[in-house]
Amino acid sequence: MSELLTVLEPATEAVLEELPAAGAEEVDEAVERARAALPAWRALAPNARAAALRALAARVEDAIDELALIEARNAGKPLASARGEMGMVVDTFRYYAGMPERLMGETIPVAGGQAFTVREPLGVVGLIVPWNFPLTIAAWKLGPALAAGNTVVLKPAELTPLSALRFEQLALEAGLAPGVVNVVAGYGPVAGARLVEHPDVAKIAFTGSTAVGRTIAATAAQTIKRVTLELGGKSANIIFADADLEKAAAAAPWAVFDNAGQDCCARSRLLVQASVVDEFLSLLQPHVEAFKVGDPLDPEAMMGPLISARQRDRVASLTAAEGASVAFRGSAPEGPGFWFPPTVLAPVAADSPAVREEIFGPVVAVIPFSDEEDAVRIANDTIYGLSGSIWTRDGARALRVARALETGVLSINSNSSVRVSTPFGGFKQSGYGRELGPHATDAYTEIKTIYYATT
Ligand code: ADP
């Protein structure tokens, strides 16, 4: 452990903590602890594993204020948002506490005996998560992985390891045996890469960039590891002329500026029917200008800073890319802090990097469309397919467009895209596999077929 992780507070650029960075050796030790804990955890009676997950949910609930403060300061998100996210963490463990007793198989008619299936845990599972929703996204993986009887090694992002490290302690305090949940805070290309190549890790559940997802899938192929990937997005928010334009304009900033746009579901392309584009932009402008950017601990703040100087510079360069011009924008504090104002780009060329690439910042590109067919064509003209919204008063059109969009999660006349009880994941290069909802445990189990001869 020679290297250090320097953990910053993005709103002030101050150092929150310096930690030793976990290297390959620490990852190997964590995998060994997880392997040692596996037989007892997977052998727990289903109702006992359910009780353990309920205890975990209760312990996290007791610590919500503490965890929310850690997340608000380290990830730079408004405290109220961080508290809401920690509520989702609790709900996720409660939801998956219902799963150990519902991991059911089938009986299948065959000749000469009885065939049936059971679900077995995979073993030790590696979870690699990003910095935008640090503990929330970890919980989406931890809940089903643990419910299905796996033990886990969780690698948080190097920029935001603090909530995961506290969670590791909370799991012990909740009564989970040592080794069931292990956290390794280290750099992606070192600790993350070791987890991906480790022969005793059965699966990697990854959320992050499409580029790193590609590397992980390629490395995992060497050991035929199971992989689920939740990657980037360039989702469309589609506004038809017949929509409630005022409601859509009030909601549109949240669809892309929430979490400072650092959200794989961010609807960073705003498709507006050409006949109402001027009217819509004039309704949108006051909402963008009033979108308050400020200290995450200020209760008025709707958006905090970006996560790092690197991220801010990348967002700035894509915003200034060829073919894009700023129509209007909000304001942001002066430094220190990695601030960037909410920004609306219009007009913007269809081939501009601001339209093609995931910006992962508070920037939205306005793209006019002529009719329903044109809207679907533009919305699908991307390598990604994660989220999206459709605004119209014509219900049949909403459903037609919803079926035609190549995307994993959609909302009609709403921004909402993620719920504990509904599947979440991407089409195309936004990844594969689904998290949350009742199917997520499938991705943490193998089906075993047993045939019992009766003749
Ligand atoms: P972002 O671009 O949002 O920072 P990344 O895809 O770079 O997202 O990072 C997401 C997670 O993947 C982080 O925990 C990071 O440490 C990890 N990571 C980065 N590179 C690798 C790698 N080569 N192998 C495994 N994990 C990695």
Side-chain angles (χ1 to χ4, degrees):
M1 260 211 224
S2 48
E3 276 195 284
L4 278 182
L5 277 185
T6 303
V7 182
L8 298 184
E9 179 175 41
T12 60
E13 304 183 32
V15 175
L16 276 178
E17 221 166 301
E18 286 211 305
L19 314 164
E25 207 176 302
E26 286 74 27
V27 170
D28 289 357
E29 287 164 8
V31 171
E32 197 40 49
R33 288 195 300 276
R35 248 163 65 93
L38 183 63
W41 178 250
R42 66 172 291 174
L44 268 188
N47 62 342
R49 209 155 58 235
L53 286 173
R54 282 195 294 273
L56 182 59
R59 186 67 198 95
V60 173
E61 192 167 41
D62 285 345
I64 272 190
D65 288 344
E66 180 196 353
L67 289 168
L69 188 60
I70 292 174
E71 212 81 308
R73 294 192 69 193
N74 188 190
K77 56 181 78 218
L79 190 56
S81 309
R83 203 174 273 120
E85 286 172 28
M86 296 307 105
M88 190 188 196
V89 171
V90 173
D91 289 347
T92 304
F93 288 120
R94 292 230 160 96
Y95 181 80
Y96 286 104
M99 286 297 164
E101 295 169 289
R102 291 177 176 80
L103 285 176
M104 289 180 280
E106 298 166 302
T107 57
I108 299 169
V110 291
Q114 185 68 56
F116 62 98
T117 63
V118 290
R119 293 240 167 220
E120 303 282 14
L122 298 174
V124 176
V125 172
L127 315 176
I128 301 180
V129 299
W131 42 258
N132 54 345
F133 298 98
L135 195 57
T136 314
I137 289 177
W140 299 355
K141 301 174 186 340
L142 287 159
L146 295 172
N150 303 280
T151 54
V152 303
V153 178
L154 165 64
K155 197 206 83 63
E158 40 275 68
L159 297 173
T160 55
L162 302 182
S163 54
L165 289 166
R166 180 66 183 116
F167 175 81
E168 187 183 35
Q169 297 169 338
L170 293 172
L172 290 174
E173 289 165 23
L176 271 66
V180 173
V181 173
N182 307 275
V183 175
V184 285
Y187 290 97
V190 182
R194 177 60 188 155
L195 201 53
V196 178
E197 72 187 20
H198 200 298
D200 295 332
V201 172
K203 177 204 163 112
I204 294 290
F206 172 75
T207 300
S209 61
T210 294
V212 173
R214 260 183 220 116
T215 307
I216 286 180
T219 308
Q222 297 305 312
T223 44
I224 316 293
K225 266 188 192 55
R226 282 77 184 124
V227 178
T228 43
L229 300 174
E230 200 267 272
L231 308 173
K234 190 74 188 175
S235 298
N237 188 12
I238 306 175
I239 318 287
F240 284 96
D242 69 351
D244 180 337
L245 294 183
E246 285 187 12
K247 197 170 162 201
W254 289 103
V256 61
F257 303 147
D258 201 18
N259 212 45
Q262 303 168 125
D263 181 346
C264 44
C265 288
R267 267 124 302 168
S268 52
R269 292 181 300 150
L270 183 56
L271 275 54
V272 186
Q273 196 151 16
S275 57
V276 294
V277 81
D278 292 341
E279 181 187 353
F280 187 77
L281 289 181
S282 58
L283 289 168
L284 178 66
Q285 186 165 357
H287 292 291
V288 172
E289 287 168 357
F291 209 86
K292 176 142 177 15
V293 182
D295 181 351
L297 303 187
D298 171 356
E300 305 271 290
M302 297 154 88
M303 187 184 118
L306 297 185
I307 193 72
S308 63
R310 186 170 149 248
Q311 188 65 16
R312 182 193 51 202
D313 295 348
R314 183 184 139 76
V315 172
S317 97
L318 280 167
T319 304
E322 206 174 318
S325 36
V326 174
F328 47 88
R329 64 188 348 166
S331 53
E334 297 290 310
F338 309 123
W339 306 101
F340 198 85
T343 300
V344 176
L345 300 178
V348 51
D351 60 352
S352 169
V355 170
R356 309 308 307 173
E357 292 187 35
E358 181 177 44
I359 298 181
F360 228 58
V363 181
V364 65
V366 178
I367 307 168
F369 64 87
S370 55
D371 56 14
E372 184 177 320
E373 196 183 327
D374 198 35
V376 169
R377 180 189 62 76
I378 297 170
N380 287 340
D381 183 19
T382 166
I383 59 167
Y384 298 112
L386 189 55
S387 183
S389 298
I390 302 162
W391 294 78
T392 173
R393 286 191 173 100
D394 179 339
R397 171 159 58 201
L399 292 178
R400 279 195 305 275
V401 173
R403 292 301 304 267
L405 293 182
E406 297 160 348
T407 185
V409 191
L410 269 173
S411 52
I412 298 167
N413 296 332
S414 159
N415 284 337
S416 160
S417 49
V418 182
R419 280 188 193 79
V420 173
S421 58
T422 57
F424 173 71
F427 281 29
K428 302 196 287 190
Q429 293 190 36
S430 288
Y432 42 75
R434 290 293 177 271
E435 306 202 279
L436 299 172
H439 312 294
T441 37
D442 294 357
Y444 293 92
T445 52
E446 296 286 12
I447 296 180
K448 181 184 284 172
T449 302
I450 302 175
Y451 171 68
Y452 197 132
T454 52
T455 53

